[in-house]
Amino acid sequence: MIELHVHSPAVPSIDLLDLPGLKLSPGPNDAPDMPQQVEALVRAQIERHRESSVFLVTTDANTKAEQCLGMKLIGEYGLQARTIGVLTKCDDVGRQRMRALPARLQQTDNGMRLQPHGYVATVTAPL
């Protein structure tokens, strides 16, 4: 864990934790139990900061909310009201999934509802 302190009159008073992404299996250079280590770290930070935090959970727009490990934890800890969902790679979802994207952003689909903050969509700018 790296902790960085920034002091400036131009910087708001805020604690920002950028946690590692959750994963199902270790990468080629990871310890065999790396997914479990990362999940334990994320759980510890949620438990430590849950009452004073807003959570940002990113997921690929091609992935359903119920298949996202981060969303699983948000649901498990009951943090839907304290979470902003970020759908990434929206420019790469394909025609059929693109039609479903507005309902997902407006939370009228069957995915996890994040009230009051909801979801935002991101795209990669063309080169």
Side-chain angles (χ1 to χ4, degrees), residues 91-103:
D91 50 335
D92 194 30
V93 295
R95 197 171 286 202
Q96 184 172 354
R97 303 274 289 153
M98 183 61 78
R99 285 192 283 270
L101 195 56

Side-chain angles (χ1 to χ4, degrees), residues 14-123:
I14 186 172
D15 292 338
L16 175 67
L17 283 86
D18 183 7
L19 298 172
L22 297 165
K23 44 169 71 172
L24 288 171
S25 58
N29 297 321
D30 291 340
D33 67 339
M34 183 59 72
Q36 293 82 11
Q37 288 182 46
V38 170
E39 184 173 334
L41 172 66
V42 171
R43 284 180 182 279
Q45 295 304 315
I46 288 173
E47 290 171 10
R48 181 175 176 202
H49 299 283
R50 71 184 296 165
E51 298 303 320
S52 61
S53 298
V54 173
F55 297 87
L56 188 72
V57 177
T58 61
T59 183
D60 187 311
N62 280 310
T63 303
K64 294 182 179 185
E66 61 268 17
Q67 295 172 325
C68 173
L69 296 174
M71 288 295 194
K72 174 185 166 234
L73 290 178
I74 293 302
E76 184 179 319
Y77 283 93
L79 298 171
Q80 293 89 331
R82 303 182 71 87
T83 301
I84 300 168
V86 180
L87 304 177
T88 63
K89 304 178 187 172
C90 291
D91 50 335
D92 194 30
V93 295
R95 197 171 286 202
Q96 184 172 354
R97 303 274 289 153
M98 183 61 78
R99 285 192 283 270
L101 195 56
R104 192 165 180 190
L105 289 168
Q106 295 167 9
Q107 302 188 78
T108 56
D109 65 350
N110 291 330
M112 183 181 293
R113 296 179 61 83
L114 302 177
Q115 296 292 352
H117 305 296
Y119 293 84
V120 295
T122 65
V123 297

